[in-house]
Amino acid sequence: MAGPDRASEEGLIARYFAPLAGPGADGLRDDAATLTPTPGHDLVVTADVVVAGIHYFSDDPPASIARKALGVNLSDIAAKGAVPRGFLLTLALPDDWTEAWLAGFSEGLGAAADEAGCPLLGGDTVRSGGPALIGVTAFGEVPSGGIVRRGTARVGDRICVSGTIGDAALGLRLRLEPEAAWATSLDPAQQALLADRYLHPRPRLALAAAIRRHASAAMDVSDGLAGDLAKMLGAGRTARIGTVPLSEAAARARDAEPGLIEPILTGGDDYEILCTVAPETLDALLAEAAQAGIPLTAIGTVTSGDGPPGFEMGDGTARVFAAGAFSHF
């Protein structure tokens, strides 16, 4: 890891990141690490970047920022049916960084890594010349040939999603417009839930094995359910979607302001698992999800055709969303 010049690179690494290092990382004393897959397994690799002012607020707690940076990558690992093995960290710090911020960041990163069983293997630390940028490359593994791809859904498959949808998008809106009528209609516990879902993704690692055994296709919901479902289905397939699982807080917000259904379905940051499964395998998948303690809901069916998925509204009409996902550009 190469570092900013305010403090010694070696000192920063030894103080904040070496304690997070896993086997093969040599205590972060070298320029590279080794990672040997379990015999009979494939490595699964994914990378995501979070940027201050784009993916998180600069004044968010540094421990929360760290949990998000690692969590969004672990969510991809889980959706592939994989088990985490380790990660690389690229940390580009702004001119006003402080060691207090770095201490909080490394504490949150270590807690998230320990919880997931995903140790730090190495990385790079630089000055950004602009906002903070945090890049994570995560490694997982699956039995050889066992990765669950996102584009392999079949017509007739049932569509399932874990957890609840829209909480993080509403948590962001709550942050931006806390005095909105819909926001003030929520009780403090509901407001806290939405805020927490935006700050702290919950990668569904406990669901990975069931996804690997039963799903025909899977991905995580990072850019909005409507848009990510369209990406999964691709050309020649579409879907009929019925009731989407909402938390009590999101349902109450939608009832107070019906127009919020659009950010709920397109706003992103859910980090739930979206998957498809053959109808005859659905009950087995739902049972294993329940045993793992992860709510999983069947929300629709893959059909033939082109065009965005249709979502059934409360009045029985179907609606599609032209801008179905968060855009990074």
Side-chain angles (χ1 to χ4, degrees):
M1 301 177 83
D5 57 13
R6 185 177 309 176
S8 126
E9 172 189 359
E10 292 79 6
L12 288 179
I13 292 171
R15 187 175 309 126
Y16 298 115
F17 298 112
L20 313 184
D26 191 30
L28 304 186
R29 291 182 293 267
D30 207 333
D31 297 320
T34 60
L35 181 62
T36 304
T38 302
H41 288 67
D42 297 330
L43 284 178
V44 176
V45 185
T46 186
D48 272 298
V49 174
V50 296
V51 181
I54 304 295
H55 303 98
Y56 67 89
F57 291 88
S58 297
D59 60 351
D60 284 342
S64 297
I65 296 169
R67 293 189 73 94
K68 175 173 280 192
L70 182 56
V72 301
N73 285 272
L74 292 174
S75 182
D76 281 324
I77 293 291
K80 299 299 98 186
V83 174
R85 285 294 308 277
F87 71 99
L88 302 175
L89 171 69
T90 298
L91 184 60
L93 294 170
D95 290 339
D96 60 353
W97 73 274
T98 66
E99 290 214 28
W101 187 95
L102 203 57
F105 179 87
S106 63
E107 181 179 357
L109 189 66
D114 284 347
E115 185 179 321
C118 187
L120 178 64
L121 300 176
D124 196 18
T125 307
V126 297
R127 188 183 302 281
S128 72
L133 179 151
I134 305 153
V136 169
T137 299
F139 300 86
E141 65 178 21
V142 295
S144 294
I147 189 171
V148 184
R149 297 293 186 183
R150 89 175 186 189
T152 48
R154 300 165 299 220
V155 172
D157 280 352
R158 299 302 309 280
I159 301 165
C160 299
V161 71
S162 66
T164 55
I165 294 298
D167 295 322
L170 293 180
L172 173 59
R173 290 180 76 98
L174 182 65
R175 186 84 168 262
L176 296 172
E177 46 186 64
E179 301 305 319
W182 70 267
T184 58
S185 74
L186 305 180
D187 64 38
Q190 292 169 332
Q191 292 180 347
L193 180 142
L194 298 181
D196 184 68
R197 286 296 302 272
Y198 174 71
L199 281 173
H200 303 121
R202 292 165 171 76
R204 299 301 194 175
L205 294 169
L207 194 55
I211 293 296
R212 188 174 65 247
R213 280 191 287 268
H214 301 298
S216 56
M219 66 183 295
D220 78 331
V221 182
S222 55
D223 296 331
L225 176 62
D228 283 339
L229 179 56
K231 292 176 195 173
M232 174 184 280
L233 297 176
R237 292 168 298 184
T238 185
R240 298 190 306 272
I241 302 299
T243 301
V244 173
L246 303 182
S247 67
E248 183 180 330
R252 184 167 179 176
R254 177 209 55 198
D255 291 345
E257 186 177 321
L260 287 175
I261 192 62
E262 183 150 351
I264 285 171
L265 295 178
T266 68
D269 278 342
D270 293 302
Y271 299 105
E272 297 291 354
I273 292 182
L274 175 67
C275 66
T276 59
V277 59
E280 63 270 21
T281 312
L282 176 61
D283 287 346
L285 176 59
L286 294 176
E288 288 192 31
Q291 188 172 12
I294 306 295
L296 189 69
T297 305
I299 62 171
T301 303
V302 180
T303 62
S304 60
D306 289 306
F311 288 79
E312 294 178 9
M313 299 291 103
D315 60 3
T317 61
R319 181 175 174 186
V320 298
F321 296 89
F326 171 79
S327 173
H328 296 270
F329 295 95

